[in-house]
Amino acid sequence: MEEKMQSTNETPASFEFARSELDKLMATANVEAVYGKPIHHNDTIIIPSSEVFAVMGVGGGSWMMEPEPIAEDEAVEQEGEEPEEKRRSGNGGGGGGGGYTFARPVALIIAGPDGVRVEPVFDRTKVLLAAFTAFGFMFATMARMMSRRPRFGRM
Amino acid sequence: MTESFFRWETHNGEPLSTGEWQILPVSRALVIHSQHSPAGLVWNRPTAVVVKGADGQEHLLPIINETRRRQMLWLGAGLLGSILIGITLSLLRKD
């Protein structure tokens, strides 16, 4: 049987929900997302600041099969049923989405009676990992160069 | 008005008054998003605070991501070191 299918113009509620979540994600581009609430301590105010990374994607689709008459040999007469109702039809859809976010403190803004200063937040673990990666890269290059045979053998 | 798919946005926050200082936080965000696409990316980070004193003078205090700066330094040093090692060993082999 040849199925005639078409995409529906109506957007399912789940997709609308996904769209609204995506709009919320886009709202993280505001300044309030990176600066925290000020912390008051005596005459000093501390404002935490962090970087925010967010990525999200959604997708999906829905389909509706055009109603078509049932073949005569398949048709079953039922009492009181109109001929228009003896049609095959159906619809379906699916969707999915995913996302990833992270936030990492960058600095503290400290405002006191003696002035305003910015204190960076230093992540030692990340820097150590970068250092190990750098040394590993150099060591791997050296090992590869040392193990390579010379192009022309010496007598 | 149509927004571009890839854009940098700079935002100023609400000024905060403390003692004789007024602090204005500033952030910068990379936004990759289109109104017609169901996907998006936001990378938002603090860039500076503008400090206004009682005398009306404004100072810009940049916020530097110290961790990222040192990460990039190490990775750059690793890349440069690898290139130098490769060149040095190639020259030694020729001798």
Side-chain angles (χ1 to χ4, degrees), chain B residues 1-35:
Chain B
M1 195 179 98
T2 55
E3 290 179 325
S4 62
F5 177 68
F6 177 98
R7 60 188 184 272
W8 285 100
E9 294 178 359
T10 303
H11 297 278
N12 295 332
E14 290 290 319
L16 179 76
S17 295
T18 165
E20 57 182 307
W21 313 104
Q22 194 182 50
I23 302 166
L24 180 76
V26 182
S27 73
R28 196 164 192 231
L30 166 69
V31 179
I32 301 174
H33 176 59
S34 164
Q35 291 294 326

Side-chain angles (χ1 to χ4, degrees), chain B residues 19-77:
Chain B
E20 57 182 307
W21 313 104
Q22 194 182 50
I23 302 166
L24 180 76
V26 182
S27 73
R28 196 164 192 231
L30 166 69
V31 179
I32 301 174
H33 176 59
S34 164
Q35 291 294 326
H36 307 292
S37 77
L41 179 148
V42 175
W43 178 41
N44 197 1
R45 59 199 172 88
T47 50
V49 283
V50 180
V51 181
K52 192 174 179 182
D55 54 355
Q57 280 197 330
E58 287 188 353
H59 301 278
L60 186 78
L61 293 178
I63 297 173
I64 297 163
N65 193 334
E66 194 63 31
T67 305
R68 175 152 300 118
R69 198 176 69 88
R70 292 192 193 194
Q71 274 182 313
M72 290 299 130
L73 276 174
W74 271 114
L75 294 174

